[in-house]
Structure formats: C-alpha cells, structure tokens
Amino acid sequence: MSTENLTKYFAAVNRPEKPMVSIIVPVYNMKSHLDQFLQCCIQFYTLFSYELIFVDNNSNDGSREHLEKLGARVETETRQGVNYARQHGLDLARGEAVLTMDADPIYPPSYLNNMVLELYADADVSLVWATSIGCVDPANPTMVDTLKLKIKTLAHRLTTNKIAQAKAVRAFAMCFMKNTGVYYPVDLKNLAGCDDGMVAVQLMRKGKIKRMRKGLYTTRGLNKRISSGTWP
C-alpha cells in the first residue's frame, strides 16, 4: 500500500459534498494500527458514496500527523474520552447512514456494503452490528480464534433477551441512520461497554436490530491498547 495510492484514495473519499454514508473513527494513540486499518478501507467495494472522518482525541504518538500527511480528514475533540470523540464525529457527519469503526479491527472488503445495505433494505431495521473477538493478530487469526468467533457468533444468534443483545453490541461495529437522533452517553465517564450498550438500547427502541453473519477480529479486549485508562 503506497503513500501515493492512499493520497489518491483520500482525495476521492473527501470529494462528495453529500455522501450517503459517514464513517466515524475515533483515534487516540493508534499510529501502530493505522496502516493496517487504511489497508482495509482502501479495499472496500461499495455502492455508496462515503466520507471518512477521523476524530483525534489528544493523541501524542503521531497518529494525527500520520493521517494528515496522507490527506485524511482529521477532526479534533479535546475533551478526553472515546464517547466525546464518537459524539463529535456524529455531530459532523453529513451522511444519511452512520458507520462507527475503530482503527484496530480487521474489516473485510464487503463490510461497508453489507452493513449499510441492511438499513436500506428494511426500513424497520434501526441498528446493524457485528460480533467480534479479541486476538493477538487480527490480520492472521489462529484456528482457535476462528473457533471462538464461531461459538460467540452462534451464542449471539441464539440470544433473544434484549438487555443481553444490547450488551453484545460494540461501538466499533455499528451502523444506523443519523436521523434516529441517538447520542453517546458522555455522562457515563467512558466505562467499558456502556457507550456501546446505551446507544444500542436507544436504537432498539426505534426499530429492529440486525446482526451480520460474518464477525470481526480485533485487538480490543485482549491487549491494553490505551495506557491512560481514559478510553475503554
């Protein structure tokens, strides 16, 4: 993945004035994950025009500079906390559909299309989400990782309790319409899982939820990627 190709990619992504989809990615000291994440993004094949909004949350490892050098759109949220960053991105989003992601999972090329199409295919669906597990190397999951994801996916498929479903949703794998008016609960002081679940509960009240068949691998939940403790 060359710098030239990424620069061309961001020039194209930043062009639409009225994108159909807004991808929001909060960033706090994620430089070591960014190249892998951008490789996922540049491989997306999709029917939808989209914007890619990175929200830097006081990174001090060069994350912001790395993205800006490539021509990425990087916004700033100075209030420390992932919920503040996600909410700032949501406030700036111009798309009809909002896709929230993080920089450390591995997203397949079909991910954007699959998530967003579910919203347009059924007007009663208010939330689309994906199961995920943490592993050492998300780009190269082991057989054990694959088995764990299959088991977790099956467990989620069999879950019917609304509270349990909300707890299973993760903010880095969610898609919803912006006009639903949901918000990130910054008053929860960024407790792990609270932002994900509370947003899911809001969306459940507005319609049906749809879980994607294919799950995701991420470093989240296995490695402590944020040293300050202010992000979950």
Side-chain angles (χ1 to χ4, degrees):
M1 178 180 59
S2 68
T3 299
E4 181 181 0
N5 284 343
L6 282 172
T7 301
K8 291 179 179 178
Y9 166 75
F10 282 118
V13 167
N14 294 337
R15 182 169 298 176
E17 294 183 2
K18 295 182 178 181
M20 295 185 69
V21 182
S22 295
I23 300 176
I24 301 171
V25 186
V27 176
Y28 175 68
N29 291 348
M30 296 296 287
K31 185 178 179 180
S32 62
H33 295 277
L34 288 175
D35 286 343
Q36 182 172 267
F37 174 74
L38 295 176
Q39 180 66 45
C40 293
C41 291
I42 204 170
Q43 291 180 351
F44 284 152
Y45 56 81
T46 179
L47 303 169
F48 305 102
S49 61
Y50 66 94
E51 62 180 351
L52 180 53
I53 305 172
F54 293 94
V55 183
D56 182 67
N57 196 208
N58 305 310
S59 296
N60 54 25
D61 69 338
S63 293
R64 182 188 187 96
E65 292 78 7
H66 183 64
L67 289 168
E68 289 182 332
K69 184 178 180 180
L70 296 171
R73 177 184 174 185
V74 185
E75 303 292 344
T76 301
E77 175 52 68
T78 58
R79 294 173 297 176
Q80 192 66 39
V82 65
N83 292 359
Y84 289 117
R86 292 194 198 282
Q87 184 62 50
H88 187 52
L90 182 57
D91 292 340
L92 295 172
R94 296 175 296 170
E96 290 182 334
V98 174
L99 185 60
T100 59
M101 300 168 67
D102 277 356
D104 50 344
I106 295 296
Y107 297 96
S110 60
Y111 182 75
L112 194 161
N113 249 12
N114 290 346
M115 293 285 279
V116 178
L117 278 172
E118 293 293 341
L119 289 178
Y120 285 99
D122 187 346
D124 292 330
V125 172
S126 59
L127 167 64
V128 184
W129 66 287
T131 300
S132 63
I133 64 162
C135 59
V136 174
D137 184 0
N140 298 286
T142 65
M143 292 181 63
V144 173
D145 295 330
T146 302
L147 179 60
K148 286 181 177 179
L149 183 57
K150 287 182 178 180
I151 293 172
K152 191 173 183 179
T153 299
L154 177 61
H156 285 171
R157 182 165 65 86
L158 298 175
T159 299
T160 57
N161 180 273
K162 295 292 185 181
I163 295 177
Q165 289 177 343
K167 288 182 177 179
V169 176
R170 292 293 175 263
F172 57 79
M174 297 175 65
C175 189
F176 53 88
M177 291 296 189
K178 184 175 180 179
N179 64 9
T180 53
V182 300
Y183 62 91
Y184 287 90
V186 295
D187 56 326
L188 291 178
K189 300 186 183 299
N190 305 293
L191 296 175
C194 286
D195 59 329
D196 319 59
M198 290 302 293
V199 173
V201 168
Q202 294 175 58
L203 290 165
M204 285 178 175
R205 292 171 178 168
K206 297 177 181 293
K208 300 186 299 184
I209 64 172
K210 176 79 173 183
R211 183 188 54 79
M212 300 305 300
R213 291 184 178 181
K214 189 170 184 178
L216 302 175
Y217 297 98
T218 176
T219 57
R220 181 184 291 269
L222 184 71
N223 300 325
K224 188 176 181 181
R225 67 186 182 95
I226 304 299
S227 60
S228 72
T230 56
W231 273 31

